[in-house]
Amino acid sequence: MTFKLLLHRIGPAFYIPLIFIAGPIVAHAQEAVDFFRGNCTSCHTIGGGRLTGPDLKDVTQKKDRAWLVQFLQSPQAMIDKGDPYALKLKEEARDVVMPNINGMTPALAELLLTMIEAESKLPKSQFAGLQISDRPFTQHDIELGKALFMGDKRLANGGPPCVTCHTFNGAGGFGGGHLGPDLSRAYERLQGRKAMGAWLYAPATPTMSLTFSKKALKAEEILPLLALFEDTARSGAEDNRTGLAGFFAMGFLVAILLLALFAVIWKARFRAVRDPLVQMSARKVLGGRS
Amino acid sequence: MDVRAQMSMVFHLDKCIGCHTCSIACKNIWTDRKGTEYMWWNNVETKPGTGYPTAWEDQEKYHGGWVVEDGNLHLRSTSKTQTVFNIFHNPHQPSMDDYYEPWTYDYQHLFNAPEGPDQPTAVPLSMVTGDLIQIKAGPNWDDDMGGSPVYAENDPNLAKLNPEQRAQMFAVQRLMFFYLPRICNHCLNPACVASCPSGALHKRGEDGIVLVDQKRCRGWRACIAACPYKKMYYNWQTGKSEKCILCYPRLETGQAPACFHSCVGRIRYLGVVLYDAERIREVAGLPQDELIEAQRSLILDPHDPAVMAAARHNGVHDAVVESAQKSPTYRFVKDWKIALPLHAEYRTLPMLFYVPPMAPVMAQKTGSTVDNISDDLFHDIDEARAPIEYMASMFGAGNSGKVRYALRKQKAVRWYRRALTVGDVDMATAERMLREADCSPAEADAIYRLTSLCTFEDRFVIPPMHREQAVEMLEDPLAHKQGVGFGFMEGPRRGL
Ligand code: SF4
Ligand code: SF4
């Protein structure tokens, strides 16, 4: 077995420590690009407009570098300190606070800012965000989205279908997985088409990013999924409870069937001798009388 | 020839008065502990009747004993494979209701009751739960045919009779019943031993008493289903099985078992017989109508020099062989052939034999008088109130010839004695009857003596048990040679 194969097998056990180890030693522009792609794109674009976080085009001109470097170290700390600009950012992001980024050092922050500055100058940055078509969703999109969610249609890059870990109202049967959150209302939570699209393109949570960093969703897959989520959210669906209820109902039914089966298989089992004798005689006597 | 010794018993049913003294003697000694209240190692039931536990003879329900399938003996209740699957649930166990829920009465209330207009009463309390109970049945609920439409009429032995015979047995003027005292048969081919997954049951080498090792027993309860006589009991307090131990501590000190000792009707006989262990398997697998004869042939003549030599070779003590020569069991079973095993068709080769009872002849009502069909009130076997098929179902493994033989011999002995002592019947007739019954006057005299005039010593011929020798089968006494003196067989344990 080659080392690579081995690494692939026990991959996650390696990736996670690698993230921590790799963080501080990023020292190259290319690595700033990679870091940005891996950590920032789910909330930010450069010249692609606001997602959850603000568009970072020309951010270095809006605020001085020293402030930005400090902010990047710990956004929450700045807010706690009552920094007015930080508070304003928080308000603009509808109270979503930028998380502390693992492996963020002042040197890395500098590198990132330099990279953002350079990207801002380009007519179209590579981080302008995923360009998902703005065309209205069709019924076909919704159906395709459902097929992708449920795994009826495979994801092009080989990622696992959503239903493995998530459920949504309309997943039917026993519902989907319960490892991840219920996605019935995710469209609202993630603030609509654009932000959610960006999120799906580069998911930021550790589990999702581990799973999808190498098997990213494609734009033509994200659109139908968005269509599905939008449709579910618009129909005002609550979280999927039917799955759980169905599960218990089914379990109950199967238990009853099994008991019935046992009753048939072991019909001739020993029950009692004396009592049936007495009952039988009582019936004989009473039956004779009436 | 693999000669071994077996403590073997005879119950003479014609003598049993159904007093239950035996049961009480046994209960007082062995089963008045918690968890054993419902057990009656010795019980006396009325026949026709369903006995205790209810209808224990119905092996379609209880699955006890052995069956022969393609030439091989199999336990009806379980097998090696089935034991694995049923280890935590052995089916076919009599329920508490089939035995009965043991109870006592709230006697204290008689003393403590506040003064009132009525006498205080003592209500029945369950000895299992301690709660007030409605008594539904007892260990001897159908005593003297009490509740016969329920119990007596469902006696499994009636199955062989035709409806007319059945009706006759329960017609008021023709009614008859007798008592059947039962203890563990200490079988030669015990189903209980064969079924035990823990190997806790064993047959003592020196006297064939079947015992449960209380340390090894794991309470799987396979034995309870396997014993066709339902003489294995489960102690719900200790979680182990228990059974009749034939009072071996009494035997070892030369005393008869408690039920034998206390028997009011003096119906019980006890003595050693020598048997050929090599042939057990073969005999237990024979066709049903050969079983009685074959089981009899297992018991060897203790006067035969070859048998004596083989016994000595096998380590049977000379004193035991000597005792076997005087055994009353041997005389009843082998010499006179009037004692028969109960339900030999269960194929456990029971070592308790019964002398079947004579039943009075049938009666007929004409007008307001009841006439007997025959003038021979007790002696007309084929006109007896209990059809011979009924007796054969119990004592003949379905073979009525064996039962008829035993009854005829008893009848002849009675006539002979009557001719001799009362003189109101003709001696020539009596002697002809003896000849027809395959009985010499000397034999008739011996039967009469052992039946009617028997002393303690005649009834119970107990050999010296020679435990000091018997223990060599399990342990080497020399291994302990320098260890005797002060000390403990088992280390002391203190605290919890
Ligand atoms: S009567 Fe039952 S308990 Fe006693 S030895 Fe026979 S099979 Fe075992
Ligand atoms: S003590 Fe003897 S006579 Fe009385 S019931 Fe028991 S066996 Fe019969």
Side-chain angles (χ1 to χ4, degrees):
Chain A
M1 189 187 287
T2 64
F3 177 70
K4 206 172 157 196
L5 203 61
L6 186 74
L7 196 67
H8 188 73
R9 287 265 166 95
I10 48 174
F14 277 89
Y15 302 155
I16 297 170
L18 275 180
I19 292 170
F20 293 99
I21 298 165
I25 49 171
V26 173
H28 192 270
Q30 181 53 42
E31 279 163 36
V33 167
D34 289 347
F35 190 91
F36 191 90
R37 175 169 292 127
N39 292 280
C40 315
T41 44
S42 53
C43 297
H44 297 284
T45 63
I46 301 176
R50 181 176 189 91
L51 298 178
T52 310
D55 187 342
L56 297 180
K57 191 175 165 92
D58 296 330
V59 70
T60 44
Q61 286 158 29
K62 289 183 192 146
K63 203 70 186 158
D64 60 284
R65 264 185 177 243
W67 188 92
L68 287 171
V69 170
Q70 202 189 350
F71 182 82
L72 281 175
Q73 296 311 305
S74 176
Q76 184 66 49
M78 294 286 274
I79 290 165
D80 293 348
K81 260 196 282 174
D83 183 285
Y85 193 68
L87 285 173
K88 185 175 152 245
L89 286 177
K90 182 181 167 208
E91 200 186 312
E92 279 172 7
R94 296 200 233 164
D95 283 347
V96 178
V97 178
M98 175 168 155
N100 287 353
I101 309 289
N102 269 325
M104 181 64 74
T105 59
L108 179 60
E110 288 286 357
L111 268 176
L112 283 169
L113 289 171
T114 313
M115 188 275 291
I116 292 170
E117 216 166 9
E119 288 285 330
S120 302
K121 294 202 181 91
L122 298 177
K124 183 169 174 3
S125 159
Q126 57 175 319
F127 297 119
L130 182 67
Q131 295 311 303
I132 298 167
S133 137
D134 280 340
R135 68 175 172 81
F137 298 131
T138 63
Q139 190 58 35
H140 175 75
D141 289 334
I142 296 172
E143 266 153 34
L144 184 59
K146 185 158 184 189
L148 287 167
F149 187 100
M150 299 303 291
D152 295 338
K153 190 168 155 40
R154 281 171 179 269
L155 295 177
N157 284 335
C162 321
V163 74
T164 326
C165 301
H166 297 280
T167 184
F168 79 105
N169 198 326
F174 290 144
H178 289 273
L179 183 66
D182 188 314
L183 298 183
S184 311
R185 304 172 69 93
Y187 195 77
E188 288 167 23
R189 259 200 324 265
L190 290 177
Q191 296 159 15
R193 183 166 179 159
K194 199 163 172 191
M196 192 174 186
W199 206 94
L200 285 178
Y201 178 60
T205 60
T207 324
M208 288 288 279
S209 67
L210 259 183
T211 318
F212 285 96
S213 59
K214 296 252 164 51
K215 297 170 178 173
L217 294 173
K218 296 203 150 168
E220 58 273 27
E221 288 165 345
I222 292 175
L223 185 83
L225 281 174
L226 287 173
L228 173 69
F229 293 136
E230 193 258 1
D231 180 63
T232 325
R234 192 158 37 82
S235 68
E238 288 299 316
D239 283 358
N240 185 7
R241 295 253 163 263
T242 52
L244 212 58
F247 182 78
F248 280 111
M250 195 63 115
F252 187 70
L253 203 74
V254 170
I256 297 277
L257 283 178
L258 277 180
L259 286 176
L261 187 70
F262 293 164
V264 172
I265 295 177
W266 285 290
K267 196 160 171 272
R269 73 187 181 277
F270 183 94
R271 286 188 175 91
V273 174
R274 196 198 67 86
D275 201 47
L277 271 191
V278 176
Q279 302 299 339
M280 194 179 74
S281 307
R283 264 200 306 278
K284 240 195 261 168
V285 173
L286 294 177
R289 242 182 239 155
S290 56
Chain B
M1 197 157 42
D2 180 4
V3 179
R4 297 188 195 172
Q6 166 78 40
M7 265 298 168
S8 181
M9 301 77 80
V10 169
F11 288 2
H12 197 310
L13 294 185
D14 242 356
K15 296 168 73 182
C16 180
I17 59 171
C19 63
H20 302 275
T21 310
C22 44
S23 304
I24 298 300
C26 175
K27 174 141 286 281
N28 279 341
I29 300 185
W30 301 118
T31 57
D32 59 352
R33 292 159 291 132
K34 193 162 162 62
T36 65
E37 301 93 341
Y38 82 94
M39 298 180 195
W40 293 87
W41 293 355
N42 181 106
N43 75 303
V44 183
E45 37 200 65
T46 303
K47 284 286 167 189
T50 48
Y52 158 85
T54 308
W56 60 270
E57 288 157 295
D58 188 348
Q59 305 306 346
E60 292 302 309
K61 294 215 170 72
Y62 288 111
H63 292 238
W66 301 89
V67 280
V68 181
E69 265 166 32
D70 6 291
N72 282 321
L73 270 183
H74 294 286
L75 282 177
R76 207 194 278 258
S77 66
T78 188
S79 66
K80 278 198 174 123
T81 341
Q82 227 185 313
T83 301
V84 177
F85 293 112
N86 283 340
I87 194 84
F88 294 113
H89 170 73
N90 260 297
H92 320 302
Q93 310 275 327
S95 64
M96 167 130 59
D97 183 67
D98 299 323
Y99 293 106
Y100 76 108
E101 184 164 356
W103 73 88
T104 181
Y105 294 95
D106 182 12
Y107 296 111
Q108 271 303 313
H109 186 69
L110 300 179
F111 301 97
N112 301 345
E115 211 175 301
D118 293 319
Q119 294 273 4
T121 54
V123 293
L125 302 176
S126 163
M127 284 170 96
V128 177
T129 60
D131 297 339
L132 177 71
I133 57 165
Q134 285 289 327
I135 300 168
K136 289 214 192 101
N140 198 34
W141 208 238
D142 55 343
D143 201 21
D144 294 351
M145 293 181 86
S148 20
V150 180
Y151 298 104
E153 284 185 15
N154 285 305
D155 182 335
N157 295 301
L158 298 172
K160 301 262 162 52
L161 307 187
N162 58 40
E164 194 195 337
Q165 283 173 313
R166 269 166 176 254
Q168 253 171 22
M169 277 188 82
F170 296 103
V172 172
Q173 301 88 12
R174 297 173 177 182
L175 213 62
M176 66 76 71
F177 61 79
F178 62 95
Y179 301 106
L180 182 73
R182 300 201 301 121
I183 63 172
C184 165
N185 297 289
H186 298 279
C187 309
L188 288 188
N189 183 32
C192 56
V193 176
S195 73
C196 179
S198 307
L201 274 147
H202 60 281
K203 200 166 166 60
R204 276 218 314 198
E206 68 267 37
D207 52 17
I209 297 177
V210 176
L211 296 172
V212 187
D213 185 335
Q214 291 293 306
K215 274 194 190 145
R216 273 207 189 178
C217 175
R218 289 279 162 276
W220 301 126
R221 305 200 222 181
C223 54
I224 292 169
C227 170
Y229 301 93
K230 290 290 159 281
K231 281 293 168 189
M232 291 291 327
Y233 301 91
Y234 178 70
N235 180 330
W236 52 265
Q237 174 70 21
T238 60
K240 315 233 172 191
S241 292
E242 294 184 13
K243 65 181 289 300
C244 160
I245 58 174
L246 203 61
C247 288
Y248 73 83
R250 288 175 60 90
L251 287 178
E252 285 169 12
T253 51
Q255 306 169 78
C259 54
F260 287 70
H261 192 122
S262 62
C263 177
V264 173
R266 304 180 183 182
I267 79 152
R268 299 178 177 222
Y269 300 82
L270 180 77
V272 181
V273 294
L274 302 177
Y275 68 95
D276 183 3
E278 219 171 76
R279 289 184 53 228
I280 289 179
R281 200 191 190 94
E282 169 210 329
V283 168
L286 287 173
Q288 193 170 317
D289 52 350
E290 294 170 32
L291 278 173
I292 303 258
E293 199 49 55
Q295 183 176 348
R296 208 176 260 156
S297 75
L298 268 182
I299 298 175
L300 303 169
D301 181 359
H303 296 281
D304 181 344
V307 172
M308 287 163 73
R312 191 171 302 126
H313 175 76
N314 246 5
V316 179
H317 199 281
D318 283 350
V320 176
V321 177
E322 227 169 81
S323 168
Q325 291 169 347
K326 294 186 221 131
S327 165
T329 310
Y330 186 82
R331 304 176 81 185
F332 273 114
V333 178
K334 283 283 279 194
D335 285 346
W336 307 332
K337 302 186 176 59
I338 57 174
L340 301 164
L342 176 63
H343 288 301
E345 72 274 18
Y346 299 160
R347 300 178 185 278
T348 60
L349 306 180
M351 280 288 118
L352 163 54
F353 299 87
Y354 291 89
V355 178
M358 312 274 282
V361 294
M362 280 197 275
Q364 219 164 24
K365 196 172 171 208
T366 38
S368 57
T369 52
V370 175
D371 298 323
N372 292 321
I373 283 179
S374 159
D375 287 335
D376 265 347
L377 183 58
F378 277 99
H379 303 150
D380 225 337
I381 294 165
D382 287 305
E383 298 299 335
R385 293 189 194 182
I388 192 89
E389 290 82 2
Y390 178 74
M391 294 295 183
S393 156
M394 261 185 279
F395 305 112
N399 183 342
S400 56
K402 300 285 169 214
V403 182
R404 193 186 302 273
Y405 179 93
L407 291 175
R408 278 180 82 168
K409 202 175 243 187
Q410 288 189 75
K411 170 187 160 189
V413 170
R414 287 192 189 195
W415 272 79
Y416 176 68
R417 288 306 305 173
R418 192 163 157 184
L420 216 60
T421 54
V422 185
D424 66 336
V425 293
D426 176 15
M427 190 48 147
T429 321
E431 275 171 350
R432 185 178 47 89
M433 283 175 75
L434 276 184
R435 267 199 309 283
E436 279 170 7
D438 184 29
C439 184
S440 69
E443 186 179 328
D445 212 49
I447 293 176
Y448 155 68
R449 287 192 174 278
L450 196 57
T451 307
S452 308
L453 305 177
C454 45
T455 64
F456 236 68
E457 285 70 34
D458 297 332
R459 280 182 282 142
F460 315 129
V461 181
I462 301 164
M465 283 288 173
H466 290 293
R467 285 298 294 160
E468 75 287 357
Q469 194 180 340
V471 82
E472 285 174 22
M473 283 190 252
L474 302 170
E475 272 177 88
D476 177 9
L478 286 182
H480 299 279
K481 197 178 169 201
Q482 272 151 16
V484 291
F486 287 99
F488 297 96
M489 292 287 281
E490 276 171 38
R493 264 172 45 138
R494 296 197 174 82
L496 288 175

